[in-house]
Amino acid sequence: TYWTAFLFQGMFAATAATIVSGAVAVRIKISAYLVFTLCFVGIVYPLIGSWQWGEGALFKMGFYDFAGSTMVHSVGGWGALAGVIILGPRIGKYVNGKVIDKPGSSVPLATVGVFLLWFGWMGFNGGSVLSADPTKTSLVLVNTSLAASAGAIGGFVAGYLMFKRLDFGMVLNGILAGLVGITAGADLMTPLESLFIGLVCGAVVVVSAVSLDKLKLDDCVGAISVHLICGIIGTLAV
């Protein structure tokens, strides 16, 4: 075991916490979020992470999660869901049974953010090989990018079918959905299977986002749909 494993898990823990920030944005005090993050990173993530990566109960049952579709993404997604339920929706989000769309303020910044995440996922998944094995690492990196690309197409098509227009936000979330979905089995899937997983996750994220709005669960950036729902799909895909 190398000490860098501690740093690696630290980044995973931070990722789980930042997933929540997007869902609860606009309506939480920074002090409250910092207290939550301390508890989430210090108690919740290490406890649940140890079930798999500490060779705990899930590991002994044969559960497999290569880089964290469940252990990182769905853990963050469950935290986001809890936060959204407790805080309630933003003022003016749901009026007289109607959903009032509150789009982001900058499409270019959102796009840059998604591409930074995609780039970072090369370390997230590629680093999870935990060695310099060129065969395995190359497969993981190719699968990761293929799933993201297919996720964009899934988000585009599902968004067009649902809204009868191009919804670029759904394309961006489709990319992230594909990335989350392939994370559990990036080292096991063939490139063709990765494309299929990405496509399914990209489409599902649109349906999930619309469904959450119908339930009056106000998720600012679609974090629950991307990380929780697609984390579950990705784990089941294994």
Side-chain angles (χ1 to χ4, degrees):
T1 303
Y2 297 103
W3 279 103
T4 43
F6 171 76
L7 288 178
F8 202 59
Q9 285 295 329
M11 294 302 101
F12 274 20
T15 300
T18 56
I19 287 166
V20 181
S21 68
V24 301
V26 185
R27 59 201 192 279
I28 188 171
K29 287 182 179 178
I30 187 67
S31 56
Y33 179 70
L34 290 174
V35 170
F36 160 80
T37 300
L38 194 64
C39 297
F40 204 62
V41 171
I43 301 170
V44 177
Y45 176 79
L47 181 65
I48 297 176
S50 70
W51 294 351
Q52 166 70 19
W53 292 324
E55 299 189 6
L58 287 178
F59 179 83
K60 288 170 182 165
M61 289 164 63
F63 183 83
Y64 191 82
D65 188 358
F66 172 65
S69 281
T70 285
M71 310 318 295
V72 177
H73 293 284
S74 87
V75 167
W78 287 114
L81 178 61
V84 163
I85 291 170
I86 291 167
L87 289 169
R90 286 167 287 177
I91 295 169
K93 176 65 177 176
Y94 305 113
V95 180
N96 298 326
K98 289 184 179 179
V99 179
I100 309 301
D101 194 26
K102 292 178 179 286
S105 59
S106 173
V107 173
L109 278 179
T111 307
V112 169
V114 167
F115 277 105
L116 283 172
L117 283 166
W118 190 341
F119 178 67
W121 233 284
M122 298 296 108
F124 199 99
N125 284 3
S128 291
V129 176
L130 300 179
S131 76
D133 180 346
T135 305
K136 199 169 184 181
T137 303
S138 59
L139 176 67
V140 167
L141 296 180
V142 166
N143 283 346
T144 299
S145 277
L146 286 177
S149 303
I153 295 169
F156 167 77
V157 173
Y160 190 81
L161 291 174
M162 278 204 138
F163 311 125
K164 301 295 184 282
R165 61 178 170 80
L166 168 60
D167 190 313
F168 191 61
M170 290 302 177
V171 174
L172 294 177
N173 267 354
I175 292 171
L176 298 179
L179 288 164
V180 171
I182 197 58
T183 293
D187 62 330
L188 301 177
M189 306 300 172
T190 65
L192 190 61
E193 288 166 342
S194 298
L195 283 169
F196 179 72
I197 290 167
L199 197 65
V200 169
C201 287
V204 167
V205 82
V206 179
V207 177
S208 173
V210 172
S211 301
L212 286 175
D213 267 338
K214 285 182 178 176
L215 294 170
K216 294 188 176 179
L217 294 172
D218 183 15
D219 178 355
C220 299
V221 299
I224 297 166
S225 301
V226 169
H227 297 279
L228 173 55
I229 305 301
C230 293
I232 292 169
I233 292 171
T235 302
L236 292 175
V238 171

